[in-house]
Amino acid sequence: MTEKMIAHSGVEICTESFGDPEHPAVLLIMGAMCSMVYWDEEFCRRLADTGRFVIRYDNRDTGRSTVYEPGQSRYGVPDLADDAAAVLDAYEIGQAHIVGLSLGGMIAQVLALKHPGRVRTLTLIGSSIFGSDEPARDLPPMDPKILDYHAGGSAVDWSDPEAAAQYLTEGSRLLCGPKRTFDEQRVGRQVRQEVSRARNLLSMYNHALLRGDDAYEGRLGEIRVPALIIHGTNDTALPYPHAEALAGGLPNASLLPLEGAGHEVHPDDWETIIQAIEDHTAGV
């Protein structure tokens, strides 16, 4: 497993792959403000061990991919969907099974609409409907505790890697479900890896400026590929009704609740999630 930098349309995207390139491809798309390291390496290897070729990558403004000065980005979710398609191009993959977490699931929806020939199946974890039209705007909002915590980010000494890591680790704690144990040591290792490899850590906040696109809103019913919705029943970032709305709006969807889980891919759920992805992508 080694990093591979790809370039398209003036953008660099940092990627990594796991497994045999001859196996069916699974592209993992991470959520907002997080690099690919939050697709845990062990999780990726175990998914690859099911006979899948697994690719993870850094979205723009995270990790080692192209970053913009904080507050200066001018791209939107459709551009991030183009990045995903470019990753597939770089690995010479025509079609892939797409797995998106949170914002990554919304990128996956736009990918399926903008580049429909590239998507074999969708797996949307802890995600929601792309856009702000009906019924998305009637869904419950993020827990104010999360917003209040991140409002304090301006007080963090971001030039101090340890201070930044502690702040981000505690932010992750807020997303852990009440029936899951928060593994501070494991999360801390991921966060420190995130801090150490970022081109500009604060650029991750540019994801708060992401633009939508009316051309892709209200079109969930056009996505005909098999879709698996995986969602923690105690998700405080995107509460469980978001999963129900996705499952109800996608014509060919199934819903897998993770009882007591939060907004996370928790190690306690890896076996369940990996088995579900294996079953969902088999023979498609």
Side-chain angles (χ1 to χ4, degrees):
M1 183 272 297
T2 57
E3 290 186 356
K4 174 180 178 178
M5 298 296 298
I6 71 166
H8 84 102
S9 304
V11 176
E12 284 190 319
I13 302 294
C14 183
T15 75
E16 288 182 327
S17 63
F18 303 78
D20 187 342
E22 297 302 315
H23 289 162
V26 174
L27 181 67
L28 304 177
I29 308 179
M30 182 40 66
M33 297 172 56
C34 296
S35 75
M36 65 180 170
V37 302
Y38 291 105
W39 291 114
D40 192 279
E41 185 173 327
E42 182 183 349
F43 174 88
C44 294
R45 292 190 183 282
R46 287 171 60 174
L47 182 57
D49 286 344
T50 68
R52 305 293 184 269
F53 179 54
V54 177
I55 304 167
R56 63 179 186 174
Y57 68 97
D58 295 328
N59 281 316
R60 299 187 199 191
D61 278 319
T62 69
R64 292 179 177 155
S65 290
T66 290
V67 298
Y68 306 88
E69 286 300 311
Q72 299 300 311
S73 64
R74 295 292 184 270
Y75 59 89
V77 174
D79 298 301
L80 296 180
D82 289 342
D83 292 346
V87 172
L88 297 181
D89 290 341
Y91 282 88
E92 299 182 346
I93 294 168
Q95 283 189 314
H97 303 285
I98 310 299
V99 178
L101 174 65
S102 193
L103 170 65
M106 300 176 206
I107 296 169
Q109 292 167 52
V110 176
L111 178 66
L113 290 166
K114 192 174 186 183
H115 304 280
R118 312 306 298 273
V119 178
R120 296 175 70 174
T121 67
L122 291 175
T123 300
L124 310 177
I125 306 174
S127 193
S128 187
I129 298 172
F130 172 74
S132 57
D133 60 331
E134 294 280 3
R137 63 169 171 258
D138 293 326
L139 293 170
M142 182 179 295
D143 189 324
K145 291 179 181 178
I146 299 172
L147 297 173
D148 291 344
Y149 182 81
H150 287 292
S154 59
V156 176
D157 181 2
W158 293 97
S159 66
D160 179 350
E162 187 55 32
Q166 289 179 3
Y167 175 78
L168 293 174
T169 299
E170 289 306 306
S172 294
R173 188 189 300 273
L174 291 175
L175 303 179
C176 186
K179 295 185 179 180
R180 302 293 185 273
T181 299
F182 183 70
D183 187 343
E184 184 171 352
Q185 185 175 10
R186 183 187 67 84
V187 173
R189 285 196 302 269
Q190 280 183 319
V191 167
R192 286 170 177 80
Q193 186 181 7
E194 172 93 324
V195 171
S196 68
R197 64 189 295 277
R199 286 188 180 185
N200 184 342
L201 187 62
L202 283 174
S203 293
M204 65 184 175
Y205 284 103
N206 283 333
H207 285 178
L209 307 176
L210 274 172
R211 303 191 309 270
D213 191 324
D214 291 345
Y216 301 101
E217 294 193 16
R219 296 176 57 189
L220 199 63
E222 297 177 30
I223 300 174
R224 299 288 175 172
V225 297
L228 172 64
I229 316 302
I230 303 176
H231 212 103
T233 60
N234 290 88
D235 190 327
T236 52
L238 291 169
Y240 191 70
H242 289 257
E244 295 174 319
L246 270 176
L250 287 162
N252 190 10
S254 58
L255 176 57
L256 172 62
L258 300 176
E259 293 296 333
H263 193 69
E264 58 197 331
V265 180
H266 195 283
D268 288 356
D269 299 310
W270 285 359
E271 182 175 352
T272 299
I273 293 171
I274 290 170
Q275 184 64 60
I277 293 174
E278 181 182 7
D279 293 345
H280 178 58
T281 59
V284 180

